């Protein structure tokens, strides 16, 4: 999902790459970059869940963003994953994120999963 508009509010949103299939890995061959890509300013999200995409799960490039509760599982099915669960651009002057959590089940190791 990409948000380019201003003053958008999301509530209780779960965005994920469907990775639980019985199709001999077919879901892994379908590329999903980001669960949420925010470019618009003044976006507020209440209850965001993002899981298993192949790049940063959430990218935030809009000013004055607010996130209240973020939960994320990194893609355990992609051993070469080099992204983050929650990425906020260093160019931003203001961003608020409260209740942020990222986890992984499996052997994937990341030095950090959040960049604010």
């Amino acid at each position: 999902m990409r948000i380019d508009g201003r003053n958008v509010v999301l509530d209780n949103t779960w965005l994920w790459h469907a990775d639980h299939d019985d199709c001999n890995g077919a879901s892994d061959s379908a590329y999903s970059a980001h669960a949420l890509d925010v470019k618009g300013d003044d976006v507020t999200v209440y209850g965001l869940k993002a899981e298993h995409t192949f790049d940063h799960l959430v990218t935030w490039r809009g000013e004055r963003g607010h996130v209240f509760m973020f939960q994320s599982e990194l893609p355990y099915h992609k051993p070469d994953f080099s992204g983050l669960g929650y990425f906020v651009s260093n160019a931003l002057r203001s961003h608020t994120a409260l209740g942020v959590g990222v986890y992984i089940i499996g052997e994937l190791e990341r030095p950090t999963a959040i960049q604010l």
Side-chain angles (χ1 to χ4, degrees), residues 1-2 6 9 13 22 24 41 55-56 71 84 94-95 99 102 108:
M1 174 185 288
R2 175 175 290 151
R6 299 184 68 183
V9 176
T13 305
D22 292 328
N24 297 319
D41 294 338
D55 203 330
H56 300 318
Q71 174 266 309
L84 299 172
S94 175
H95 183 83
V102 178
L108 177 67

Side-chain angles (χ1 to χ4, degrees), residues 65-88:
H66 293 87
V67 173
F68 300 92
M69 203 294 286
F70 172 71
Q71 174 266 309
S72 179
E73 181 179 13
L74 298 177
Y76 53 81
H77 60 293
K78 185 141 179 58
D80 61 341
F81 178 73
S82 61
L84 299 172
Y86 195 90
F87 172 80
V88 176

Side-chain angles (χ1 to χ4, degrees), residues 16-17 19-20 32 50-54 57 73-77:
W16 68 301
H17 173 90
D19 61 332
H20 300 259
S32 300
E51 299 186 352
H52 310 291
T53 59
F54 294 169
L57 279 67
E73 181 179 13
L74 298 177
Y76 53 81
H77 60 293

